[in-house]
Amino acid sequence: MVSEPTVADATGRIYESLQANNADIDVHIAALKAAMARTGLKEAVFDPAKLVQNNRSGRKLMQAYFRQRGVTVKFSASS
């Protein structure tokens, strides 16, 4: 039996996908959404320093894209 990815695993794969020009991003978002449902999380938290487009418009675009797929995105405070 294949284990299902954790929220941390799915988030890591999303970071990798963003670095790879969004390769398989929808698959990774679906995995994240499923992992969040299993753990009862309501929103995914991303580190803006790990994003390719770490500017306001890039973050807003990411939030909108994920929201369309049923995942609420928040960003951690950068230091």
Side-chain angles (χ1 to χ4, degrees):
M1 177 165 168
V2 176
S3 66
E4 296 176 342
T6 64
V7 171
D9 292 338
T11 302
R13 289 186 184 122
I14 288 172
Y15 287 131
E16 291 169 8
S17 178
L18 293 171
Q19 295 293 328
N21 201 24
N22 300 332
D24 298 323
I25 190 75
D26 290 333
V27 172
H28 300 310
I29 293 171
L32 175 62
K33 184 176 178 181
M36 289 171 58
R38 286 192 302 276
T39 58
L41 292 176
K42 300 292 182 203
E43 57 191 33
V45 179
F46 288 90
D47 180 354
K50 294 183 180 180
L51 301 179
V52 176
Q53 292 290 325
N54 183 16
N55 56 30
R56 185 176 190 281
S57 64
R59 291 188 303 270
K60 291 297 179 186
L61 181 63
M62 181 178 174
Q63 285 178 316
Y65 191 82
F66 278 59
R67 183 173 44 248
Q68 289 172 348
R69 282 141 188 85
V71 176
T72 300
V73 171
K74 298 289 182 195
F75 296 101
S76 61
S78 55
S79 48

